[in-house]
Amino acid sequence: ALPIYCVQLLSLEREDTLEMLFETARKFREANFGRKIFTYGFAYTSTFCRNNCTFCYFRRSNQRPQRYRKDARDVLDVAGHLSREGVNLIDLTMGEDPQFHDSKSGALDALVQLVRGIRNVSELPVMVSPGVVPDKTLARLAAAGATWYACYQETHNPALFKTLRVGQSF
């Protein structure tokens, strides 16, 4: 469940209260980041996914997309290029690729090494989105240099979640 303050903030409707919230957010943004624009670049790793999310083009049951897995060298080349082009963050993007989630294959080890490699070629913050992984893998990704971990939850409505993320735990 969401903390009560999140529920309260997400439930605001009055124009004056919303404006006060937005003004406070602007002040925090300027105090922490100034008036700069930050960009991030995608380093797509895989279009395979073990899930069947109804909203996603790369869902397991969709036969249309061309599937690929990039090898580490290709991903590192992309990360280096993005770094030289001036992005501020590398987004290591993938579906919940069954290959990365096979505990016997050691593929999560390869993902940790890939994050370390991206940090070495770019020195930029790295965001990873491999889906649900064990807590120890999160710690290893952080130790390798992952600054952000994206775990998407499109809704907090259990009934809607069930229709969007078929067969997954709310």
Side-chain angles (χ1 to χ4, degrees):
L2 283 173
I4 190 66
Y5 63 87
C6 290
V7 173
Q8 290 170 334
L9 288 173
L10 292 170
S11 300
L12 294 176
E13 293 181 8
R14 286 186 29 205
E15 192 71 33
D16 61 330
T17 310
L18 284 169
E19 186 50 44
M20 189 176 7
L21 173 67
F22 297 151
E23 181 59 30
T24 302
R26 282 190 288 275
K27 286 179 182 176
F28 273 98
R29 182 199 64 220
E30 285 211 23
N32 289 286
F33 300 107
R35 296 188 54 82
K36 299 175 187 170
I37 295 174
F38 291 85
T39 58
Y40 61 100
F42 292 98
Y44 288 94
T45 309
S46 172
T47 58
F48 287 90
C49 191
R50 65 184 179 176
N51 296 320
N52 217 12
C53 303
T54 57
F55 57 86
C56 185
Y57 184 66
F58 296 113
R59 67 187 170 276
R60 181 185 68 240
S61 65
N62 189 359
Q63 300 301 310
R64 290 186 209 126
Q66 184 176 12
R67 305 291 180 170
Y68 65 82
R69 288 183 182 101
K70 289 186 179 171
D71 65 29
R73 188 173 347 117
D74 290 338
V75 175
L76 293 174
D77 286 347
V78 168
H81 177 76
L82 290 168
S83 176
R84 289 187 298 278
E85 291 298 317
V87 302
N88 305 99
L89 178 139
I90 304 292
D91 184 343
L92 185 57
T93 301
M94 66 192 72
E96 284 195 36
D97 189 330
Q99 181 174 300
F100 277 113
H101 290 273
D102 176 7
S103 60
K104 296 175 200 135
S105 74
L108 286 173
D109 294 335
L111 180 60
V112 170
Q113 292 304 321
L114 186 57
V115 168
R116 187 171 286 116
I118 290 171
R119 290 291 299 200
N120 289 336
V121 300
S122 72
E123 297 183 6
L124 292 173
V126 177
M127 179 166 66
V128 294
S129 56
V132 179
V133 297
D135 289 348
K136 67 179 183 178
T137 302
L138 287 176
R140 292 180 61 220
L141 287 166
T147 314
W148 300 89
Y149 172 75
C151 188
Y152 302 101
Q153 176 96 9
E154 288 75 16
T155 181
H156 287 278
N157 176 311
L160 181 56
F161 183 92
K162 193 174 188 173
T163 67
L164 295 174
R165 292 189 164 264
V166 177
Q168 297 178 58
S169 171
F170 180 73

